[in-house]
Amino acid sequence: GDAAATAITSVTPPAFRRSSSSSNAVIPDVTHKSDLEKQSDVLIFLRQHRSSGCLPPSVIYKSLGIDLSDGGVDCAVANMLANNPKVNVEEVPDPENPSLSIMHYGYRAKFSTVRDRATLLAQINRCKHGVKWSDLTDAYDDVEKDLQKLLTGGEILGVNNPEERDKVLFPRGDHFLVELDGCVTVDLPEMPVEPEDKNDLARMDAYKQELLRVKHMRQAASHLIKTDIDHRTQIRRGEAVRVGNEWFRVSSAVREGVSLHNQPPRAQ
C-alpha cells in the first residue's frame, strides 16, 4: 500500500567515508547506527569469517567502519562484545609495540570443538538425549551439508520438532546392516585402452587426455543403478541403502508429486 511504498522510498543508501590511512580505502559510515546495531553487524561479520579465528580491530574497522580499538569511538560496542557469549576475545601483543596488547575478536559457536564432519558426528554421539539442528549450524562452513549426509547415510537419526520448527538429532547407536539379494550393475562410460607402444608420445598424450575426460564424465554425470531383482519387498520407506561406499536414502514419501516437507508427519 501507500505506507509500504513510503517506507521503501525513505530508506537512505549506505554512506561511506574515506580512510585516513595510506591505503586510502573507503570505510563504511556507521555513525547513524546504534550500539546494538553495530554489535549485530560485528557478530554477523565474525560468523562469516569464523574460519579465520580471532580478528584484530583494524580488520573489523576496514570492513564495517566500527572502531573497536582501545579508546576508540566504539568502546561501548567493544564492552558489549566482551560480555557476549557468542564472542571470543583474545589479548594479543601489538606487533608494532610488543609491550602493549590488542584485543582480537572471534566468533564462538555453541559447540566450539565441532570443526569438521568427524568432530560433528562425535558431538552428536555424545548427546544421548539429542541436540537441535539449529545449535550446530554455526559450527563451521558447510556444516548443514555434512548433517544432511550423516542423516542420509544413517549415521545419525533426526526427529522433526514442529513446535519449534527445528529437528532434533540423535546418535544412531549400533548399526544393523543386512545384505540385499541380487547383483547391482552401473552403466559407466568405458575406460580407454592404453596403447601398447608407450614410446609413441602422440598416442600416449591422446590416451591420457581421453582418460581424464572419461574419469570426469564418471564423476560428474548421473548414472542409473540397476539390480537383477525387485528389492521393494526387502526395503522400507526411509531406510538407507549402501552401494559401494555411497549411501542412498529410500524416499519416505507416501503421496506422489508432493515434496517431503508437505508429506504427512509419518512420512517426514
Side-chain angles (χ1 to χ4, degrees):
D2 295 338
T6 302
I8 292 174
T9 54
S10 64
V11 175
T12 56
F16 298 90
R17 63 175 181 268
R18 187 72 61 179
S19 170
S20 59
S21 65
S22 58
S23 61
N24 212 25
V26 176
I27 305 297
D29 184 2
V30 293
T31 54
H32 62 286
K33 290 190 176 184
S34 67
D35 289 346
L36 280 175
E37 289 176 311
K38 293 178 182 179
Q39 178 185 227
S40 177
D41 289 347
V42 175
L43 276 174
I44 294 172
F45 179 78
L46 294 178
R47 178 172 177 173
Q48 292 173 341
H49 298 82
R50 56 187 179 272
S51 60
S52 301
C54 290
L55 301 173
S58 58
V59 173
I60 298 173
Y61 177 71
K62 290 177 182 177
S63 300
L64 304 178
I66 299 172
D67 185 5
L68 302 177
S69 62
D70 187 19
V73 295
D74 295 309
C75 58
V77 180
N79 291 332
M80 294 168 67
L81 292 169
N83 294 303
N84 193 310
K86 284 288 186 181
V87 178
N88 276 326
V89 181
E90 293 183 358
E91 193 171 352
V92 179
D94 187 342
E96 297 180 0
N97 188 353
S99 62
L100 301 177
S101 60
I102 300 177
M103 295 301 181
H104 283 45
Y105 301 86
Y107 186 80
R108 178 189 294 165
K110 183 165 185 176
F111 297 100
S112 58
T113 59
V114 177
R115 298 179 179 178
D116 51 32
R117 182 171 174 174
T119 53
L120 174 64
L121 178 59
Q123 179 61 54
I124 297 174
N125 286 337
R126 286 194 292 268
C127 298
K128 303 300 181 183
H129 300 290
V131 58
K132 293 181 182 179
W133 176 291
S134 58
D135 286 344
L136 294 165
T137 53
D138 63 351
Y140 61 90
D141 295 340
D142 294 331
V143 63
E144 294 193 69
K145 291 182 180 179
D146 284 344
L147 284 171
Q148 192 58 53
K149 289 179 181 179
L150 291 173
L151 283 171
T152 301
E155 296 181 71
I156 59 174
L157 300 176
V159 178
N160 282 329
N161 185 345
E163 295 181 358
E164 298 185 8
R165 296 184 178 181
D166 206 345
K167 183 175 291 185
V168 183
L169 307 172
F170 295 91
R172 177 72 188 191
D174 294 333
H175 287 267
F176 182 70
L177 303 179
V178 177
E179 186 174 353
L180 298 174
D181 296 334
C183 296
V184 175
T185 57
V186 183
D187 291 332
L188 295 173
E190 293 187 4
M191 301 295 286
V193 179
E194 185 176 2
E196 294 183 2
D197 184 4
K198 296 185 174 49
N199 293 323
D200 190 334
L201 299 181
R203 294 189 62 186
M204 284 299 296
D205 185 59
Y207 161 74
K208 291 178 180 178
Q209 292 184 10
E210 178 65 10
L211 183 63
L212 289 174
R213 187 187 70 83
V214 173
K215 284 184 176 180
H216 176 74
M217 286 180 58
R218 286 187 167 207
Q219 294 175 355
S222 298
H223 306 286
L224 291 176
I225 298 175
K226 300 178 181 179
T227 60
D228 58 352
I229 65 170
D230 187 349
H231 288 108
R232 285 179 291 181
T233 59
Q234 300 181 12
I235 57 178
R236 298 180 180 180
R237 289 193 301 268
E239 290 186 330
V241 178
R242 187 175 71 184
V243 180
N245 293 323
E246 292 292 329
W247 284 96
F248 302 89
R249 178 68 60 180
V250 180
S251 174
S252 61
V254 295
R255 294 180 182 174
E256 293 186 5
V258 179
S259 65
L260 187 59
H261 295 292
N262 295 323
Q263 293 285 334
R266 62 191 175 93
Q268 297 185 11

